[in-house]
Amino acid sequence: MKTKAPTLRQFQARFSTEESCLDHLFQVRYGNAFDCPGCGREAKFSRVKARRSYQCQWCAYQVYPTAGTPFDRTRTPLRDWFFVMFQFCSSRNGVAAKEVERQLGVTYKTAWRMCHMIREYMGKVDGDDRIGGLGRTVQIDETFVGGYQSVPDKLEAGASNKTLVFGMLEEGGDVVTQVVPDRRSGTLLPIIRQTVTKGAKVSTDEHLAYGGLGTMGYVHNSVNHSLDQYVCSKSGATVNAIEGFWSQLKRSINGTHIHVSGKHLPKYLGEHEYRWNMRREPHLMLDRLLFAFSR
C-alpha cells in the first residue's frame, strides 16, 4: 500500500520560516558538530545574523550551507525554493514557470531559472543506474517529442523539427531516457550495452536497429506493431509500459508547458524520470531531494 505524499499544510508546518529552511540545509550537510575547516578543532557552529552562514565557536570560520546547491548565490528566499520543490514532487504533470511566477510574485526570468535548476537537480539525484539483469525484462523504445510537422520516413529527428528521445524501462522498476541524434543501431546499441545488464529479457518493436541485441548477451523478443500487435502471443513481448511513460511525458509537455525546446528537453526528461522512479514512494519524493545535498 502506497504511503501518501505530504500535504501542503504538513510542508508549511515543517518549513514555516526562512531559518527553518537554512537550519535544515546545515543539519543535512554538516550535522551538529564537526571539525572546523579553519582551526581543525571540533566545534559547534552558530548562526550568523543577516547571513546564510554559520560560524565556528573558536575561530569564527564561516560555512555556507547553500554553497554548491541550486540555492547558491541567489536572493530568492529558501522558503520559495523549498515550496517550488514541493510543487514539483506533488504534481503529476510538472509545474510551469508561469505558475511559479504567479504564485510567488517573482519575475518570469526568476521563475524560469528556479524551475530549470530544480529539474536539473532532480535528474542528478535520480542518476542513470544500470537496469535489468538475469530474469528481468526491459522494454526499449524511442519517440519523437515536440515540433510541428509530421514525422517523415527518415531516421533523423531534425528533419521534422522534432527531438528524438530513447528510453529503456525495466518492468516494475526504473526508466532511463536520453536525447539521441538518430535511430541507427550504431547510436542505440552502445547505450543499451551501457545501461542494461546482460542476461536481461529485452522487448522492442520491429525496428531493424535492434536486430543485434540477441548477440550482445540479451534475450531479445519483439512485437510487430505493423500487424496491430501490442503483445506478442508467442513470447509475450510488449512495449506498452514505456509507451505509457511517453504518453505521460507528452501530456505534461502539451498540457503544462505547451512547448519545450530540444535544448532543454534533457532537463524535463530528468524530472519525469525522477517522478516515475519514485512513484511507489511518493512520501519520500521530496525528502530524497531535501536530503541529497552533499557536504
Side-chain angles (χ1 to χ4, degrees):
M1 182 176 179
K2 293 184 179 180
T3 304
K4 292 183 178 180
T7 64
L8 175 60
R9 183 170 296 177
Q10 291 171 329
F11 169 79
Q12 290 174 333
R14 184 180 178 187
F15 299 108
S16 58
T17 64
E18 188 75 4
E19 288 70 25
S20 63
C21 297
L22 190 62
D23 286 342
H24 170 82
L25 280 179
F26 181 78
Q27 292 296 326
V28 167
R29 306 193 71 191
Y30 297 99
N32 292 320
F34 58 95
D35 293 341
C36 174
C39 62
R41 302 169 67 180
E42 184 175 343
K44 290 186 178 180
F45 280 67
S46 58
R47 174 72 188 279
V48 178
K49 188 176 181 180
R51 285 191 180 185
R52 290 179 175 174
S53 66
Y54 294 75
Q55 68 179 11
C56 172
Q57 68 185 94
W58 306 113
C59 66
Y61 180 89
Q62 296 185 11
V63 296
Y64 291 80
T66 58
T69 71
F71 327 123
D72 191 16
R73 301 181 184 277
T74 175
R75 292 175 293 180
T76 305
L78 291 177
R79 286 185 67 194
D80 290 350
W81 279 99
F82 279 31
F83 175 65
V84 177
M85 291 173 70
F86 167 79
Q87 287 185 304
F88 268 75
C89 294
S90 60
S91 171
R92 294 186 60 183
N93 292 319
V95 182
K98 289 298 292 184
E99 183 66 19
V100 173
E101 176 191 2
R102 287 190 291 266
Q103 292 198 19
L104 298 185
V106 297
T107 64
Y108 178 75
K109 181 179 180 180
T110 297
W112 185 92
R113 176 177 175 272
M114 292 175 69
C115 290
H116 275 282
M117 293 191 72
I118 291 174
R119 289 187 186 99
E120 189 173 12
Y121 175 59
M122 292 173 77
K124 289 181 179 178
V125 172
D126 181 63
D128 286 328
D129 296 334
R130 292 181 68 86
I131 58 176
L134 190 63
R136 305 295 296 178
T137 300
V138 177
Q139 299 183 18
I140 298 176
D141 194 29
E142 71 287 336
T143 190
F144 288 93
V145 177
Y148 50 85
Q149 299 177 11
S150 60
V151 180
D153 294 329
K154 296 182 180 180
L155 294 178
E156 302 298 333
S160 63
N161 196 34
K162 291 179 178 287
T163 303
L164 183 61
V165 179
F166 179 58
M168 297 150 284
L169 184 150
E170 180 177 327
E171 292 185 4
D174 291 354
V175 63
V176 178
T177 63
Q178 73 176 75
V179 173
V180 292
D182 55 63
R183 303 169 63 217
R184 296 185 175 92
S185 59
T187 300
L188 304 184
L189 295 186
I191 300 175
I192 297 173
R193 184 185 293 111
Q194 183 180 1
T195 307
V196 182
T197 304
K198 289 185 177 181
K201 300 177 182 178
V202 175
S203 296
T204 70
D205 56 21
E206 68 276 18
H207 183 40
L208 296 178
Y210 301 127
L213 286 174
T215 63
M216 295 169 54
Y218 304 111
V219 180
H220 179 215
N221 295 297
S222 61
V223 57
N224 196 333
H225 286 168
S226 63
L227 299 178
D228 292 331
Q229 187 182 71
Y230 297 97
V231 179
C232 180
S233 58
K234 294 183 179 180
S235 64
T238 180
V239 290
N240 287 346
I242 191 166
E243 287 185 344
F245 176 80
W246 296 144
S247 177
Q248 186 172 339
L249 171 69
K250 292 178 181 180
R251 281 199 305 270
S252 172
I253 292 176
N254 296 333
T256 302
H257 306 291
I258 311 302
H259 170 76
V260 172
S261 69
K263 175 182 178 181
H264 296 292
L265 182 58
K267 300 175 185 176
Y268 291 85
L269 294 177
E271 172 195 351
H272 283 273
E273 278 185 42
Y274 180 85
R275 195 176 288 118
W276 173 276
N277 295 341
M278 293 290 293
R279 67 195 182 281
R280 301 183 188 277
E281 300 172 312
H283 60 296
L284 299 179
M285 195 177 295
L286 177 62
D287 277 350
R288 187 182 178 192
L289 292 180
L290 295 177
F291 283 88
F293 302 109
S294 60
R295 180 169 174 176

